[in-house]
Amino acid sequence: MPKLIVGIDVGGTKVAGGLVSLKGRLVKSMVVPTRANEGFKASYAQIVHLTKRLVEHAGGKGNIVGIGICAPGPLNPRTGLVINPPNLPGWRNVPLTRLLQKHLGIPTKLENDANAAGLAEVLFGAAVGYRDIFYVTVSTGIGTGIIIDKKIYHGKNGVA
């Protein structure tokens, strides 16, 4: 089986996950409720459960290059810290990448959900052919992402 990436999108109402090829092709997707109203432990358990199911579907950790997880901000992608998202009660200063890497033993990177979506549009979606975009998402919350020269603009402290 070719190497795959696990992508996880943590939202206020659902956690969506997918197995993605290195060329951006979606191989498998799954969704579970976030259970955000039950606090961080319940939401984190949902993330771990979904991620483990995707890893099993891929045939095990040996077929996974890494995990990319996005969540609502504010967060710091450099440190992997989710600071205090308004639509995820109890998620205050959560070292999400460190927790997932320790729990699952797979390299993990964190990104703001709107930034990740904006970059995905530039690389694989409606904004292919554009280098610079301003992306807006409206869902349980409202978020924005700035993509300049096909790279996410994080700003001075990583929370732009």
Side-chain angles (χ1 to χ4, degrees), residues 60-83:
K61 286 188 220 180
N63 295 322
I64 302 296
V65 174
I67 299 169
I69 187 164
C70 63
L75 57 77
N76 188 324
R78 293 181 193 125
T79 62
L81 186 72
V82 177
I83 298 168

mmCIF file of all heavy atoms in Angstrom, residues 60-83:
data_model
loop_
_atom_site.group_PDB
_atom_site.id
_atom_site.type_symbol
_atom_site.label_atom_id
_atom_site.label_comp_id
_atom_site.label_asym_id
_atom_site.label_seq_id
_atom_site.Cartn_x
_atom_site.Cartn_y
_atom_site.Cartn_z
ATOM 1 N N GLY A 60 -2.084 0.045 9.184
ATOM 2 C CA GLY A 60 -1.153 0.223 10.293
ATOM 3 C C GLY A 60 -0.267 1.446 10.153
ATOM 4 O O GLY A 60 -0.211 2.085 9.095
ATOM 5 N N LYS A 61 0.433 1.746 11.245
ATOM 6 C CA LYS A 61 1.291 2.941 11.311
ATOM 7 C C LYS A 61 2.377 2.961 10.242
ATOM 8 O O LYS A 61 2.797 4.028 9.815
ATOM 9 C CB LYS A 61 1.976 3.020 12.677
ATOM 10 C CG LYS A 61 1.096 3.431 13.797
ATOM 11 C CD LYS A 61 1.975 3.660 15.027
ATOM 12 C CE LYS A 61 1.318 3.135 16.257
ATOM 13 N NZ LYS A 61 2.154 3.355 17.442
ATOM 14 N N GLY A 62 2.840 1.799 9.833
ATOM 15 C CA GLY A 62 3.898 1.734 8.840
ATOM 16 C C GLY A 62 3.522 2.335 7.499
ATOM 17 O O GLY A 62 4.397 2.673 6.703
ATOM 18 N N ASN A 63 2.225 2.488 7.249
ATOM 19 C CA ASN A 63 1.759 3.065 5.985
ATOM 20 C C ASN A 63 1.407 4.551 6.109
ATOM 21 O O ASN A 63 0.926 5.149 5.150
ATOM 22 C CB ASN A 63 0.537 2.297 5.471
ATOM 23 C CG ASN A 63 0.894 0.876 5.108
ATOM 24 O OD1 ASN A 63 1.969 0.620 4.580
ATOM 25 N ND2 ASN A 63 0.013 -0.060 5.406
ATOM 26 N N ILE A 64 1.624 5.117 7.305
ATOM 27 C CA ILE A 64 1.276 6.513 7.556
ATOM 28 C C ILE A 64 2.539 7.359 7.654
ATOM 29 O O ILE A 64 3.428 7.063 8.458
ATOM 30 C CB ILE A 64 0.454 6.646 8.866
ATOM 31 C CG1 ILE A 64 -0.830 5.806 8.799
ATOM 32 C CG2 ILE A 64 0.142 8.104 9.170
ATOM 33 C CD1 ILE A 64 -1.823 6.237 7.749
ATOM 34 N N VAL A 65 2.606 8.416 6.859
ATOM 35 C CA VAL A 65 3.739 9.343 6.891
ATOM 36 C C VAL A 65 3.616 10.283 8.088
ATOM 37 O O VAL A 65 4.603 10.622 8.736
ATOM 38 C CB VAL A 65 3.801 10.166 5.588
ATOM 39 C CG1 VAL A 65 4.872 11.234 5.655
ATOM 40 C CG2 VAL A 65 4.025 9.258 4.405
ATOM 41 N N GLY A 66 2.399 10.723 8.378
ATOM 42 C CA GLY A 66 2.168 11.641 9.487
ATOM 43 C C GLY A 66 0.709 11.999 9.602
ATOM 44 O O GLY A 66 -0.130 11.554 8.804
ATOM 45 N N ILE A 67 0.422 12.789 10.622
ATOM 46 C CA ILE A 67 -0.929 13.269 10.878
ATOM 47 C C ILE A 67 -0.914 14.784 10.754
ATOM 48 O O ILE A 67 -0.072 15.458 11.361
ATOM 49 C CB ILE A 67 -1.405 12.887 12.297
ATOM 50 C CG1 ILE A 67 -1.438 11.371 12.464
ATOM 51 C CG2 ILE A 67 -2.773 13.503 12.594
ATOM 52 C CD1 ILE A 67 -1.643 10.919 13.901
ATOM 53 N N GLY A 68 -1.843 15.310 9.982
ATOM 54 C CA GLY A 68 -2.077 16.746 9.923
ATOM 55 C C GLY A 68 -3.410 17.010 10.578
ATOM 56 O O GLY A 68 -4.422 16.434 10.179
ATOM 57 N N ILE A 69 -3.408 17.817 11.614
ATOM 58 C CA ILE A 69 -4.654 18.107 12.321
ATOM 59 C C ILE A 69 -4.904 19.595 12.309
ATOM 60 O O ILE A 69 -3.997 20.397 12.503
ATOM 61 C CB ILE A 69 -4.623 17.545 13.764
ATOM 62 C CG1 ILE A 69 -5.977 17.692 14.442
ATOM 63 C CG2 ILE A 69 -3.510 18.168 14.587
ATOM 64 C CD1 ILE A 69 -6.147 16.849 15.682
ATOM 65 N N CYS A 70 -6.137 19.963 12.016
ATOM 66 C CA CYS A 70 -6.481 21.380 12.062
ATOM 67 C C CYS A 70 -7.608 21.570 13.065
ATOM 68 O O CYS A 70 -8.412 20.683 13.314
ATOM 69 C CB CYS A 70 -6.852 21.913 10.682
ATOM 70 S SG CYS A 70 -8.303 21.178 9.933
ATOM 71 N N ALA A 71 -7.590 22.736 13.680
ATOM 72 C CA ALA A 71 -8.553 23.074 14.720
ATOM 73 C C ALA A 71 -8.834 24.572 14.634
ATOM 74 O O ALA A 71 -8.059 25.325 14.043
ATOM 75 C CB ALA A 71 -7.996 22.709 16.093
ATOM 76 N N PRO A 72 -9.925 25.003 15.241
ATOM 77 C CA PRO A 72 -10.184 26.436 15.258
ATOM 78 C C PRO A 72 -9.163 27.154 16.143
ATOM 79 O O PRO A 72 -8.643 26.581 17.096
ATOM 80 C CB PRO A 72 -11.592 26.545 15.849
ATOM 81 C CG PRO A 72 -11.868 25.247 16.509
ATOM 82 C CD PRO A 72 -10.981 24.233 15.891
ATOM 83 N N GLY A 73 -8.898 28.394 15.815
ATOM 84 C CA GLY A 73 -7.943 29.180 16.597
ATOM 85 C C GLY A 73 -8.626 29.898 17.743
ATOM 86 O O GLY A 73 -9.831 29.765 17.943
ATOM 87 N N PRO A 74 -7.824 30.590 18.498
ATOM 88 C CA PRO A 74 -6.401 30.803 18.257
ATOM 89 C C PRO A 74 -5.573 29.574 18.625
ATOM 90 O O PRO A 74 -5.902 28.840 19.561
ATOM 91 C CB PRO A 74 -6.052 31.995 19.145
ATOM 92 C CG PRO A 74 -7.039 31.947 20.256
ATOM 93 C CD PRO A 74 -8.298 31.365 19.662
ATOM 94 N N LEU A 75 -4.514 29.377 17.851
ATOM 95 C CA LEU A 75 -3.567 28.296 18.125
ATOM 96 C C LEU A 75 -2.209 28.694 17.578
ATOM 97 O O LEU A 75 -2.091 29.644 16.818
ATOM 98 C CB LEU A 75 -4.039 26.966 17.527
ATOM 99 C CG LEU A 75 -4.334 26.870 16.034
ATOM 100 C CD1 LEU A 75 -3.084 26.792 15.195
ATOM 101 C CD2 LEU A 75 -5.216 25.676 15.761
ATOM 102 N N ASN A 76 -1.189 27.969 17.982
ATOM 103 C CA ASN A 76 0.157 28.243 17.495
ATOM 104 C C ASN A 76 0.673 27.001 16.784
ATOM 105 O O ASN A 76 0.995 26.006 17.438
ATOM 106 C CB ASN A 76 1.091 28.634 18.639
ATOM 107 C CG ASN A 76 2.432 29.117 18.143
ATOM 108 O OD1 ASN A 76 2.964 28.613 17.149
ATOM 109 N ND2 ASN A 76 2.996 30.092 18.833
ATOM 110 N N PRO A 77 0.761 27.047 15.451
ATOM 111 C CA PRO A 77 1.209 25.867 14.717
ATOM 112 C C PRO A 77 2.676 25.514 14.972
ATOM 113 O O PRO A 77 3.057 24.363 14.835
ATOM 114 C CB PRO A 77 0.978 26.243 13.253
ATOM 115 C CG PRO A 77 0.952 27.725 13.236
ATOM 116 C CD PRO A 77 0.427 28.161 14.576
ATOM 117 N N ARG A 78 3.485 26.488 15.351
ATOM 118 C CA ARG A 78 4.901 26.212 15.622
ATOM 119 C C ARG A 78 5.083 25.355 16.871
ATOM 120 O O ARG A 78 5.939 24.484 16.914
ATOM 121 C CB ARG A 78 5.676 27.516 15.773
ATOM 122 C CG ARG A 78 5.759 28.300 14.475
ATOM 123 C CD ARG A 78 6.557 29.591 14.651
ATOM 124 N NE ARG A 78 6.350 30.452 13.503
ATOM 125 C CZ ARG A 78 5.919 31.699 13.576
ATOM 126 N NH1 ARG A 78 5.692 32.257 14.743
ATOM 127 N NH2 ARG A 78 5.741 32.385 12.477
ATOM 128 N N THR A 79 4.263 25.625 17.886
ATOM 129 C CA THR A 79 4.391 24.890 19.145
ATOM 130 C C THR A 79 3.376 23.757 19.271
ATOM 131 O O THR A 79 3.489 22.933 20.171
ATOM 132 C CB THR A 79 4.203 25.836 20.347
ATOM 133 O OG1 THR A 79 2.882 26.384 20.308
ATOM 134 C CG2 THR A 79 5.234 26.956 20.331
ATOM 135 N N GLY A 80 2.367 23.736 18.388
ATOM 136 C CA GLY A 80 1.332 22.708 18.459
ATOM 137 C C GLY A 80 0.331 22.952 19.570
ATOM 138 O O GLY A 80 -0.366 22.036 19.995
ATOM 139 N N LEU A 81 0.231 24.193 20.021
ATOM 140 C CA LEU A 81 -0.628 24.543 21.150
ATOM 141 C C LEU A 81 -1.949 25.140 20.677
ATOM 142 O O LEU A 81 -1.961 26.117 19.923
ATOM 143 C CB LEU A 81 0.102 25.554 22.042
ATOM 144 C CG LEU A 81 -0.572 25.931 23.347
ATOM 145 C CD1 LEU A 81 -0.488 24.769 24.333
ATOM 146 C CD2 LEU A 81 0.096 27.171 23.937
ATOM 147 N N VAL A 82 -3.061 24.558 21.134
ATOM 148 C CA VAL A 82 -4.384 25.139 20.906
ATOM 149 C C VAL A 82 -4.631 26.060 22.098
ATOM 150 O O VAL A 82 -4.646 25.607 23.249
ATOM 151 C CB VAL A 82 -5.479 24.054 20.802
ATOM 152 C CG1 VAL A 82 -6.850 24.696 20.628
ATOM 153 C CG2 VAL A 82 -5.181 23.102 19.651
ATOM 154 N N ILE A 83 -4.810 27.353 21.834
ATOM 155 C CA ILE A 83 -4.811 28.343 22.914
ATOM 156 C C ILE A 83 -6.151 28.460 23.632
ATOM 157 O O ILE A 83 -6.219 28.274 24.844
ATOM 158 C CB ILE A 83 -4.320 29.708 22.386
ATOM 159 C CG1 ILE A 83 -2.873 29.548 21.879
ATOM 160 C CG2 ILE A 83 -4.413 30.781 23.461
ATOM 161 C CD1 ILE A 83 -2.348 30.716 21.085
#
